[in-house]
Amino acid sequence: MKKLMLAMLGSFLVIGCIPRVSSSTPNVSSNGLESSSTSFDAYYVIDTSKITSEMLLGSSVELDVSFKNLGETATPDYAVSIVDDLLVDVTSTTYVSATRLFTPLSIGDYSIKFSVLDEKGDLYLTSDDTSFERTIIISVVKQSFEPVNSAGEDVEIDDSGNESVITFGSSYAVGSSKKTSGQYRITGLTFLDNYYITYQLKDVVYGDNYADPSLYFGWNRNNEELSDDCIKLSSGNGTMAAWVWAGSNQANLGNNSDHGWFINGWWNAPNSVSNLAPVSGDHTLRFERYIDKVNEVAVYGIIYDDVAFTYLDVGSNYTDLQKSVWIETNNTSMSLSVIDFGIVTDEIAPEISLEYADTYVNSSLLLKTGVTVTDNSIYQDVLARQYVVRDSLNAVVETENDTFTPLVVGDYSLSVKVKDLAGNVGEETTVLHVVPKPVQDTIIDLTETASVARVGGGIIIYASATHQEVPVTNLAYKAFLGGVDVSATVLREITSNDTSLKYQVFAPTSAGIYDLQVSVNDVSEHLSIEASTSLTSVYGFTYYDAGFEGVIVGRDEVIYATPTGLETGKLGKGLSRVTNWELSFDLTDLSFSKNNGSIWYTLESKKSDGTGGNWEDIRVGGNQGTDLWGYEASIIGSGWNTYQWRSNWQDKTTEFMPNPEDASIGCGRGSGEYAQYATGTHHYKVICTT
């Protein structure tokens, strides 16, 4: 009942009256400040919102109370009195007024009263005998776990050791349907300002029959909405994602795209903590929060197995005080404990050193290759770099994917800025010397080739060469990583079945900066290519999802060299049209798995003001009902409609119809009868008119 009454008290005491002339005036500038007097009564608002309602035994909490007098900040004298469960006054043994620290000696609920005093040290009273007091309850507990709503099935909590351990049993790692534990709050953990918390995960086993086995690490903000934000670790592939509220909607965290975050339902982190392999065994996971109080933004850092993974700027979507933290599992068995938590600080800016050799005109320079960042934090390798290149007239020169391709000889200035999680900024500037290429008989051009590629996927290499201005084709390709020749692993040639199309591709298997070397006779040209799993765009295509194994991207073409039946991610060209539009594309050597292979073309439709986003899909090929080699269209409001090639809905034909008089009767034929549409290049156009 005591806690229920506390919840009804709220965080503020507000008494509103019109002040009247009074002969009794408080010393409203005590605590070492210069005193002043007034002929009017003071009416106070007592704010205790920064004081936690729950704390761990053995810790201390600052009783951070503040006052306002008729809307203006005030500092009156006040008294603090504390009584325990037995109504015994324990103020002298638990509270130090000089530091305002409350350090309880035993578990229980403590009633803490704040009372405004007058200049004599007595309870302050207005002329109508109004006093200003506020009482809160702080529950002192041991660290443990408790269900937020109801206890989850097959969950065990062990408080017998030095650390409380919660175990989600083996039933969470079996079955094909969703099994969730619900949220378990970690009692006693309430954080203010900057903090860190480290979880120990043991004996992790994921449910491989469920689509999204995962662990959730959440926190409740101390605001009216009680927003329960969280970060998700997908135990099936080690990817992470975040859900952060902005009022009643998901927050826009697009400012994190510069270090690889992208939205796909959730805000998805770059990379995977396990290189896309299942998470199993024992691991540590640490979250840190840094608040920039000047700009009123907060940043979360994520450290996995003592290695910085990434960070997330949540902007203004935070509160200084977090009421509690919680965890939850979906289809993942494990044991979990909190092994460390505390305050984190960082007041040292990153240091940047820049070193670049002379660059040839019309050659691509990956700016990252000349930057070294040193920071006192563990995040120095994942901090986003901001590059600004200016020409001799101080005009900004555009770069793409942090690659500088100078078109004019001369000196350029390069400014590199790096901000750490605490908001400390390091900046350094240098000069890039762009010089003419040496005059030579043989010229190799790699300027059209991207300097970035996605691990597991890859890029098409665009290379050309001339000897004494005559084109030559006998190009040789090599690739090096850390000085080691990895050509056999990352370079290959892809040719269409009729040999009309031929592509040289770079398909990296691991992250790093590769040296691509293209040679003709004794002449070589080099290009640095950064390969990563967090790449967001290349050749104008944007990656919207993970899982791009075998997807090779070019300037205007994409090669799906994937194993049969492999589901890939989503990418798009970023085209935008209003009302009527046409989409034309070619498919070469179209081939699907027997059961349900297909290629999807997905378009996001919105109103003219940019709101009301929905998806329209066109699915080409695969198994459409009982037929192979058809297409389907999912249009907003009408669902899926299935058609065979050259169906008679517009242009009547009998080519694919067992009954020319009844277009609703399917073919029911095997894929072999449509083999002619799986070879060569075929042209398609989708026309939308409104």
Side-chain angles (χ1 to χ4, degrees):
M1 181 61 70
K2 184 185 298 182
K3 290 186 178 179
L4 177 60
M5 292 176 65
L6 168 66
M8 297 173 62
L9 285 174
S11 296
F12 297 92
L13 170 66
V14 181
I15 300 178
C17 301
I18 299 175
R20 297 183 299 174
V21 176
S22 171
S23 59
S24 174
T25 58
N27 179 359
V28 296
S29 300
S30 58
N31 294 330
L33 299 179
E34 183 179 349
S35 63
S36 62
S37 62
T38 176
S39 59
F40 291 89
D41 285 345
Y43 286 80
Y44 292 101
V45 173
I46 303 176
D47 182 2
T48 61
S49 62
K50 288 191 175 183
I51 303 177
T52 179
S53 60
E54 185 181 73
M55 61 182 292
L56 287 177
L57 181 65
S59 64
S60 298
V61 167
E62 181 183 358
L63 300 184
D64 186 5
V65 62
S66 60
F67 302 85
K68 285 191 176 180
N69 174 20
L70 298 175
E72 299 294 329
T73 300
T75 57
D77 285 336
Y78 65 93
V80 176
S81 60
I82 304 171
V83 297
D84 62 14
D85 282 303
L86 301 177
L87 302 182
V88 175
D89 190 310
V90 293
T91 309
S92 61
T93 58
T94 62
Y95 179 66
V96 178
S97 59
T99 60
R100 299 194 294 183
L101 289 181
F102 169 55
T103 308
L105 303 178
S106 59
I107 290 174
D109 289 344
Y110 291 79
S111 177
I112 303 174
K113 183 167 69 173
F114 303 92
S115 304
V116 177
L117 305 178
D118 62 19
E119 67 275 9
K120 298 178 181 179
D122 298 326
L123 182 67
Y124 169 64
L125 297 173
T126 66
S127 55
D128 59 357
D129 292 332
T130 299
S131 62
F132 300 93
E133 296 179 309
R134 168 117 175 99
T135 300
I136 64 172
I137 304 293
I138 295 182
S139 298
V140 180
V141 300
K142 291 180 63 177
Q143 184 187 305
S144 187
F145 298 88
E146 65 177 24
V148 173
N149 294 316
S150 58
E153 180 185 344
D154 193 17
V155 180
E156 179 182 342
I157 299 172
D158 183 3
D159 293 330
S160 61
N162 294 329
E163 298 153 356
S164 182
V165 178
I166 186 169
T167 299
F168 303 97
S170 58
S171 64
Y172 286 91
V174 298
S176 58
S177 59
K178 181 177 180 179
K179 182 179 176 65
T180 178
S181 66
Q183 294 180 7
Y184 274 79
R185 185 175 67 92
I186 305 173
T187 59
L189 292 192
T190 303
F191 295 106
L192 182 67
D193 298 330
N194 296 359
Y195 72 88
Y196 70 89
I197 181 172
T198 306
Y199 296 94
Q200 173 75 62
L201 312 179
K202 287 191 174 182
D203 302 320
V204 177
V205 179
Y206 79 106
D208 57 0
N209 291 321
Y210 181 66
D212 188 25
S214 47
L215 306 173
Y216 297 85
F217 302 86
W219 59 94
N220 286 4
R221 286 189 253 160
N222 188 35
N223 56 8
E224 293 181 1
E225 293 82 13
L226 300 180
S227 306
D228 57 338
D229 306 327
C230 69
I231 292 177
K232 178 177 73 169
L233 170 63
S234 294
S235 52
N237 60 13
T239 59
M240 300 189 77
W243 191 282
V244 176
W245 291 98
S248 60
N249 300 308
Q250 189 182 17
N252 183 354
L253 305 180
N255 56 323
N256 294 275
S257 62
D258 63 355
H259 51 284
W261 288 77
F262 61 95
I263 189 168
N264 182 29
W266 290 57
W267 287 97
N268 294 262
N271 304 323
S272 159
V273 298
S274 58
N275 198 24
L276 297 178
V279 176
S280 61
D282 300 349
H283 302 279
T284 59
L285 184 58
R286 171 171 165 142
F287 299 99
E288 298 181 347
R289 183 178 78 165
Y290 297 84
I291 297 178
D292 180 347
K293 292 196 173 183
V294 174
N295 297 303
E296 297 185 334
V297 296
V299 179
Y300 284 90
I302 305 174
I303 299 172
Y304 185 81
D305 285 345
D306 299 321
V307 176
F309 175 61
T310 188
Y311 58 98
L312 179 67
D313 181 355
V314 300
S316 61
N317 301 292
Y318 74 97
T319 56
D320 287 356
L321 180 65
Q322 287 184 351
K323 293 179 54 180
S324 63
V325 296
W326 53 268
I327 51 96
E328 180 180 351
T329 181
N330 281 352
N331 300 78
T332 306
S333 171
M334 63 163 180
S335 293
L336 180 145
S337 60
V338 177
I339 59 174
D340 195 15
F341 63 91
I343 299 172
V344 63
T345 59
D346 182 5
E347 298 179 353
I348 303 176
E351 295 183 359
I352 304 171
S353 61
L354 306 176
E355 184 175 356
Y356 297 91
D358 290 353
T359 301
Y360 291 140
V361 68
N362 292 317
S363 295
S364 294
L365 172 62
L366 184 62
L367 296 172
K368 183 177 181 178
T369 57
V371 180
T372 301
V373 177
T374 305
D375 191 52
N376 62 310
S377 77
I378 197 174
Y379 299 97
Q380 60 185 23
D381 293 331
V382 298
L383 295 175
R385 280 84 161 155
Q386 297 179 6
Y387 303 94
V388 177
V389 179
R390 296 180 181 273
D391 61 19
S392 59
L393 299 177
N394 204 36
V396 174
V397 179
E398 290 188 7
T399 60
E400 183 177 357
N401 288 318
D402 298 331
T403 299
F404 170 52
T405 306
L407 304 179
V408 178
V409 172
D411 287 347
Y412 297 76
S413 71
L414 168 64
S415 175
V416 180
K417 184 183 295 185
V418 177
K419 182 170 68 173
D420 65 18
L421 274 62
N424 305 305
V425 177
E427 186 171 8
E428 189 65 40
T429 301
T430 191
V431 175
L432 301 176
H433 301 288
V434 177
V435 299
K437 285 188 176 181
V439 177
Q440 52 190 23
D441 289 340
T442 301
I443 299 175
I444 302 171
D445 185 4
L446 282 173
T447 57
E448 296 298 316
T449 300
S451 58
V452 291
R454 194 175 183 106
V455 172
I459 60 172
I460 297 175
I461 299 172
Y462 297 99
S464 61
T466 58
H467 179 69
Q468 295 180 349
E469 300 184 353
V470 177
V472 294
T473 58
N474 58 328
L475 303 180
Y477 298 84
K478 284 190 175 183
F480 299 86
L481 179 62
V484 177
D485 190 338
V486 292
S487 306
T489 304
V490 303
L491 296 177
R492 69 178 187 269
E493 190 174 85
I494 296 179
T495 307
S496 63
N497 292 339
D498 61 3
T499 70
S500 61
L501 299 175
K502 184 178 294 185
Y503 302 97
Q504 189 72 35
V505 303
F506 168 68
T509 57
S510 60
I513 297 179
Y514 291 76
D515 177 22
L516 174 66
Q517 176 181 306
V518 180
S519 304
V520 175
N521 301 325
D522 296 330
V523 179
S524 298
E525 183 72 21
H526 295 260
L527 176 66
S528 294
I529 302 178
E530 181 182 11
S532 73
T533 56
S534 62
L535 181 67
T536 58
S537 65
V538 61
Y539 286 132
F541 287 91
T542 299
Y543 294 96
Y544 292 103
D545 206 346
F548 286 88
E549 292 82 356
V551 180
I552 312 298
V553 181
R555 289 178 305 212
D556 292 302
E557 52 237 320
V558 178
I559 302 171
Y560 290 87
T562 59
T564 299
L566 178 65
E567 182 177 345
T568 64
K570 297 190 271 298
L571 54 80
K573 189 69 172 176
L575 302 176
S576 178
R577 295 291 184 272
V578 178
T579 62
N580 301 340
W581 53 265
E582 294 183 5
L583 173 65
S584 300
F585 54 90
D586 293 343
L587 296 180
T588 299
D589 295 344
L590 186 66
S591 180
F592 297 96
S593 65
K594 181 177 180 180
N595 293 326
N596 200 30
S598 56
I599 291 180
W600 295 62
Y601 295 85
T602 300
L603 304 97
E604 183 180 15
S605 299
K606 294 185 177 181
K607 298 178 181 178
S608 59
D609 61 1
T611 63
N614 287 290
W615 298 99
E616 299 183 4
D617 300 283
I618 302 167
R619 186 165 74 165
V620 177
N623 185 14
Q624 315 298 343
T626 60
D627 299 329
L628 289 167
W629 308 103
Y631 72 90
E632 291 185 321
S634 174
I635 308 301
I636 295 173
S638 64
W640 284 98
N641 293 283
T642 303
Y643 308 99
Q644 298 166 349
W645 295 139
R646 303 183 188 175
S647 63
N648 74 337
W649 67 290
Q650 279 190 340
D651 182 16
K652 184 174 290 188
T653 177
T654 62
E655 182 175 359
F656 293 99
M657 296 182 190
N659 185 346
E661 303 303 321
D662 187 352
S664 66
I665 298 177
C667 300
R669 301 177 182 178
S671 60
E673 298 194 40
Y674 304 92
Q676 70 270 29
Y677 292 96
T679 59
T681 298
H682 298 272
H683 314 286
Y684 302 90
K685 177 184 288 187
V686 181
I687 302 173
C688 174
T689 58
T690 58

